[in-house]
Amino acid sequence: MEFILSFLILALNLVNYETKINTAVFFFLSAAIVAALFYVVMMKTKNFLATCLIMMAYTWQISWVNIFGAPTSELQLPWLYIFGLLMFCYGIYNVKNSLKRSYSAFALGVFSAFFILFLAPLIISVSVSAGLKEFIIISFFVVVVFVCFLNGDSVGKEAYERFKIAIIWAVVLSSLFILLQFVMYKYMGVSLFKIAVRMSFSGGNQTSFYLLMEDHSSATIMLGCAIFYILDRLSKKNAWYSIPAIVVILVSMAITSRRTSTISFIVVVAFFVLFHYRGLSKKILYSVILGIGCITMLYYLLIARPVSEFSQILSDNGRFAGYEVALKLIAKNPFGIGYDDDYLSSLMPYNISPHNTVMRWAAMGGLLFALVLVLIVAVCIVSAYKKRLTAEFWAIIYSFFAANFIPDILAARFFVIICSMALLAKKVETLSDAGAGERPSAIKNSSE
C-alpha cells in the first residue's frame, strides 16, 4: 500500500502537469493521498520524525509543485516544506525533553552561530522579496537539521530500514518515468512532462529529460545518492533486482544530460569502492560492476548531450571565469552582499550565479556565514561516519562534492533529508560491537 500511494501522488502530479487539474480538486486528491500515505508509514515506523523524512523522500519528486498544483515560483509551499514545518513543530513540542539531553558543545556552537548570523544577509539584500526566497531555502535546511540534531539517535533499526527503502523506491520510480520520457520522445516523438531541447556549447542538440524537477543540475544528484543506499543493502539474495535498479538509475541520470551528477558520481564511487569494501576480491568485483554501469551512463550521456570531441564533456562552460569573479567579489565584500541571487548574478559573467555552492554562500552571506554552513554539513558527515551509516556518509560526501559545480545544493531539496537522517538514526551495530555469540542489532554492511 505504501508504494502504491507514493506512486499515486507522483502520478497525480504528472497528470496535473499535462492536463491542469482544477485547483480545488487537485488539492483535495493530493491531500487525501498524502494523509493516507503518512498514516501507513507512521503505522510502520512508529516514529514521527522518521515518518516525516520518509514522506519528504516520497514527495521530493513533486517538491517543485505546490500543494495546489501550481509551480512553486507562484507559491513556495510544496508538501516537502509542510513536513519540514511539522518537524519544526515537533521540535518545539519536544523542547523540554531536548533540554534534558547532552550535546556536542562544538555542534551546538555551530548551530548557534548560524541563528545569530542568518538574518543579516536578508537585511542587506538589494531586494528583500528576492532575498526572502534564499532565506527560506537556507533556513529550512538548517532548522530541520537542527531539530534532528536535538532528537538525535532516536530512529531505530526498523524505522531506518523503512527510510532506506523509501529513498530507493522514490528514486527508482522517478528514474523509470524519466526513461519513459526518453523512449516516448526519442522513438515516438511524444513529449511528456518536462523536457528541454537546446543547442549545446559543443554543437548539436542537447535534450534533457527531467520529469518535474527544476534546477535539474542540482536535483539529479538525488538519483546518484540512491545508488549508495542500494549498495548499502546489496546482498546475494536481492542482487537480482538491486543491480537492475542501479542500471535504471544510472541511465536515467545520463539522459537528464546533467554532467554534474554523472561525473561527480563516477569520481566519488571510485573512492567508495576503494575505502568501503574489504578485501581485494570485493574491490575488484565492485569495480567491474560499477565500472560497467558508469560506462553505460557515459554512453547515454553522450546521446543526450552530443559532443564532437569527448574532451568537451569536461568543458567548464565558463565556471572558472565565474569562480574568479566570485572570489574577487568575496574579497571585496567579506560580509556578503545579501541573499538576492538576481543581484549576485548581475555581477557575474553571462549573468549566471557562480556554480559553486560554498562560493555562493560566501558571496551572499559572507565568509563566516559560509563557514558555518559548511561546518553544519561537516557535523552531519561526522555523525554518519561515527554511527557507521554508510549510505548517508557517502551520499552526503557525493552531494557536497557535486555542490562545487552547481549554484546551490539546497535548491535540490533532497539534501536536508539525508543530512537529517545522519543525525537521527542510531549507530549501526556490527558483529564486533555485539559481542561473542550475539547477533548484531542492525543489518551488516556489505563490506563486512
Side-chain angles (χ1 to χ4, degrees):
M1 180 60 71
E2 181 179 338
F3 295 154
I4 294 174
L5 289 170
S6 68
F7 168 81
L8 288 177
I9 189 64
L10 176 58
L12 176 65
N13 279 266
L14 292 174
V15 171
N16 177 64
Y17 179 81
E18 293 292 326
T19 64
K20 301 301 178 189
I21 300 172
N22 175 270
T23 300
V25 172
F26 176 87
F27 174 73
F28 175 79
L29 292 175
S30 180
I33 297 170
V34 168
L37 182 55
F38 186 92
Y39 175 80
V40 170
V41 174
M42 186 67 182
M43 290 299 99
K44 291 180 178 180
T45 65
K46 309 296 183 184
N47 184 292
F48 183 80
L49 291 178
T51 298
C52 286
L53 288 182
I54 289 172
M55 292 301 297
M56 282 186 175
Y58 282 140
T59 57
W60 161 79
Q61 313 102 310
I62 60 171
S63 61
W64 291 272
V65 180
N66 66 40
I67 60 176
F68 302 106
T72 49
S73 57
E74 297 180 16
L75 174 65
Q76 281 280 345
L77 192 61
W79 286 109
L80 186 140
Y81 278 12
I82 297 293
F83 293 113
L85 177 61
L86 290 177
M87 294 177 73
F88 171 72
C89 293
Y90 178 89
I92 297 296
Y93 174 79
N94 199 49
V95 68
K96 288 185 179 180
N97 291 329
S98 298
L99 292 174
K100 298 175 183 178
R101 304 177 64 187
S102 59
Y103 301 97
S104 160
F106 175 78
L108 271 178
V110 169
F111 281 109
S112 298
F114 172 82
F115 292 119
I116 292 171
L117 295 170
F118 78 131
L119 278 174
L122 180 62
I123 295 171
I124 64 173
S125 296
V126 173
S127 168
V128 176
S129 60
L132 195 60
K133 178 182 176 182
E134 299 298 330
F135 172 80
I136 291 172
I137 290 174
I138 294 174
S139 299
F140 174 82
F141 169 78
V142 178
V143 168
V144 171
V145 169
F146 183 59
V147 168
C148 293
F149 167 75
L150 294 178
N151 294 274
D153 302 341
S154 62
V155 172
K157 171 191 169 182
E158 291 186 10
Y160 178 54
E161 287 300 314
R162 296 304 313 173
F163 170 78
K164 290 195 286 188
I165 292 170
I167 290 281
I168 295 168
W169 169 255
V171 170
V172 170
L173 184 62
S174 297
S175 299
L176 288 172
F177 273 109
I178 291 172
L179 288 177
L180 175 64
Q181 285 184 282
F182 175 77
V183 171
M184 294 295 288
Y185 183 83
K186 198 76 174 177
Y187 300 104
M188 301 181 188
V190 178
S191 178
L192 286 175
F193 321 129
K194 292 185 179 180
I195 298 175
V197 181
R198 61 177 70 88
M199 181 68 73
S200 68
F201 286 101
S202 52
N205 285 332
Q206 174 184 312
T207 311
S208 305
F209 304 88
Y210 49 103
L211 206 57
L212 296 176
M213 294 180 282
E214 292 293 339
D215 191 14
H216 45 298
S217 289
S218 306
T220 50
I221 298 168
M222 174 62 166
L223 306 183
C225 287
I227 295 176
F228 292 107
Y229 282 90
I230 296 175
L231 292 171
D232 187 45
R233 304 184 75 252
L234 183 60
S235 67
K236 292 180 180 179
K237 292 182 180 179
N238 64 24
W240 67 274
Y241 62 82
S242 294
I243 293 178
I246 290 174
V247 173
V248 166
I249 294 171
L250 288 174
V251 173
S252 68
M253 285 172 64
I255 60 179
T256 63
S257 81
R258 300 298 86 193
R259 295 179 304 165
T260 298
S261 55
T262 54
I263 303 301
S264 297
F265 177 80
I266 292 172
V267 173
V268 175
V269 83
F271 285 96
F272 171 82
V273 172
L274 180 63
F275 293 109
H276 177 66
Y277 294 109
R278 298 177 184 175
L280 183 61
S281 59
K282 277 197 172 184
K283 291 182 189 295
I284 293 174
L285 174 62
Y286 283 97
S287 293
V288 171
I289 293 173
L290 292 170
I292 293 172
C294 289
I295 291 171
T296 303
M297 179 170 59
L298 286 174
Y299 171 79
Y300 280 96
L301 176 62
L302 293 175
I303 290 177
R305 193 185 185 107
V307 294
S308 55
E309 296 179 13
F310 185 78
S311 60
Q312 292 171 336
I313 205 72
L314 298 176
S315 169
D316 71 296
N317 285 355
R319 279 177 169 82
F320 293 125
Y323 297 163
E324 183 179 353
V325 174
L327 288 173
K328 290 179 180 178
L329 180 66
I330 294 166
K332 187 177 179 180
N333 302 274
F335 298 103
I337 62 170
Y339 284 129
D340 189 345
D341 186 63
D342 293 334
Y343 177 58
L344 174 59
S345 297
S346 71
L347 303 175
M348 293 291 108
Y350 313 110
N351 289 323
I352 298 176
S353 188
H355 276 50
N356 182 292
T357 296
V358 178
M359 283 188 188
R360 186 170 174 273
W361 287 342
M364 291 192 302
L367 290 169
L368 184 58
F369 178 80
L371 175 62
V372 168
L373 285 173
V374 170
L375 289 176
I376 289 173
V377 176
V379 166
C380 299
I381 293 174
V382 171
S383 177
Y385 178 79
K386 288 182 175 179
K387 297 178 185 179
R388 300 192 182 99
L389 303 176
T390 300
E392 280 72 22
F393 176 78
W394 286 101
I396 297 172
I397 291 289
Y398 161 59
S399 301
F400 207 62
F401 177 78
N404 288 285
F405 311 103
I406 57 173
D408 185 18
I409 189 62
L410 302 186
R413 314 286 203 201
F414 76 87
F415 196 55
V416 67
I417 304 172
I418 57 177
C419 287
S420 296
M421 186 51 76
L423 298 171
L424 271 184
K426 292 181 179 179
K427 179 180 179 181
V428 172
E429 199 172 312
T430 63
L431 285 173
S432 59
D433 298 320
E438 297 181 5
R439 294 181 62 85
S441 63
I443 294 176
K444 289 195 301 177
N445 289 337
S446 57
S447 59
E448 298 175 351

